[in-house]
Amino acid sequence: MSGPTPDAIRHPVVDRLPAWSLPYARLARWDRPIGWWLLLLPCWWSAALAAKMGGTWPNLLTLALFLIGAIAMRGAGSTWNDITDRDLDAMVARTRARPIPSGQLSTRQAFLFLLLQSLVGLAVLLNFNGFAILAGFAALAPVAVYPFMKRFTNHPQIVLGLAFAWGALMGFATELGHWPWAAFALYAGAILWVIGYDTIYALQDIEDDAIIGIGSTARAYGEQVRLFIAAMYAGTLLLLFLALNLAGSGMMGWIGLAAFASHLGWQVAVLRREDARQALKLFRSNRDAGLLLFAGLALDAMI
């Protein structure tokens, strides 16, 4: 297997920040925007599908608030993950340079930053209706327990899926004020998508995870990991097909789903278990896959 990829990358926006703020930027993963993209996309999918069901265009203000909320809460979740994993991160080549294990920030500073980011997320949430506010608070449960799951199970990606896919419910909550059956189908499909792409991501750490006893689906399925990812993606597509059907999607929505399906199929076809750098590239490519689906759903609602 090729060597581990760096946990942090240079980013043109982050590079312009004052030097004192750089450890905080890395703690929130601002140098790795793929995380908030993957948190945001199910929010946008559900907002577009809810608009279709309501006979309106996607609400631009709602989409913008979801963007701000995704950046804030992804940062808060990453900060919480680094606080709980600070000892484990120090033992893994890819993560030992993170701000807490490397000594750039104290645990107390990280907690204060976690609180600040959470307040931004709360400010976003308070713009929505009561049902959506309650739904947003409910999302905190899987976020809180996820960092501990890798210590007890080889399938922590399931809990990550529950957290990262929650946006598939939020668009319906904000636009319709309730959860139709299409929302549950979209959420279930998004969970399987998260499990699939995070298994690809976990391929980078198989060797280190085995040494320190951390569980992951990449470790659990070994030589059959490609088949496992293919099964997760197939389940994703079946459930999204059901969601679009329940929402009454038109031609553009189905074209978006077809483009999304083609991208997932390409990922499985080219995946090489032993290539950590390729795994990171494929993981990041899921932003483009998700945008293809959103474009189709948004155009369908507008047409």
Side-chain angles (χ1 to χ4, degrees), residues 61-106:
L61 177 58
T62 297
L63 297 180
L65 288 170
F66 280 155
L67 171 61
I68 297 169
I71 295 173
M73 295 314 297
R74 191 271 180 135
S78 296
T79 302
W80 172 241
N81 185 79
D82 281 12
I83 291 171
T84 59
D85 281 357
R86 57 191 182 276
D87 294 331
L88 293 175
D89 284 345
M91 296 186 285
V92 177
R94 185 176 59 82
T95 58
R96 63 171 57 107
R98 285 179 174 175
I100 300 176
S102 66
Q104 298 173 61
L105 292 176
S106 68

Side-chain angles (χ1 to χ4, degrees), residues 128-141:
F128 300 135
N129 61 58
F131 181 76
I133 292 172
L134 291 175
F137 275 108
L140 296 177

Side-chain angles (χ1 to χ4, degrees), residues 248-301:
S249 288
M251 181 179 67
M252 293 307 301
W254 295 113
I255 291 174
L257 181 60
F260 181 69
S262 297
H263 199 291
L264 299 192
W266 166 76
Q267 291 179 44
V268 173
V270 303
L271 178 68
R272 296 192 301 276
R273 178 178 177 271
E274 69 284 354
D275 191 338
R277 292 187 180 276
Q278 187 219 39
L280 182 59
K281 290 178 181 179
L282 291 178
F283 164 74
R284 289 177 179 158
S285 76
N286 278 279
R287 180 202 65 173
D288 300 333
L291 285 173
L292 288 171
L293 177 57
F294 171 66
L297 297 177
L299 287 172
D300 194 48

Side-chain angles (χ1 to χ4, degrees), residues 78-202:
S78 296
T79 302
W80 172 241
N81 185 79
D82 281 12
I83 291 171
T84 59
D85 281 357
R86 57 191 182 276
D87 294 331
L88 293 175
D89 284 345
M91 296 186 285
V92 177
R94 185 176 59 82
T95 58
R96 63 171 57 107
R98 285 179 174 175
I100 300 176
S102 66
Q104 298 173 61
L105 292 176
S106 68
T107 304
R108 180 177 180 275
Q109 289 172 311
F111 266 117
L112 291 174
F113 189 47
L114 169 63
L115 177 61
L116 177 61
Q117 293 173 95
S118 299
L119 289 174
V120 174
L122 177 62
V124 169
L125 194 59
L126 292 177
N127 286 275
F128 300 135
N129 61 58
F131 181 76
I133 292 172
L134 291 175
F137 275 108
L140 296 177
V143 173
V145 302
Y146 165 69
F148 303 100
M149 291 298 101
K150 67 188 75 172
R151 295 164 171 82
F152 307 110
T153 175
N154 279 331
H155 293 75
Q157 280 77 13
I158 295 175
V159 182
L160 181 68
L162 294 174
F164 255 65
W166 195 264
L169 298 173
M170 290 303 297
F172 293 97
T174 58
E175 300 307 303
L176 302 180
H178 69 280
W179 287 331
W181 285 111
F184 296 111
L186 188 69
Y187 180 49
I191 290 172
L192 296 187
W193 181 51
V194 174
I195 296 171
Y197 70 59
D198 200 66
T199 300
I200 295 175
Y201 184 78

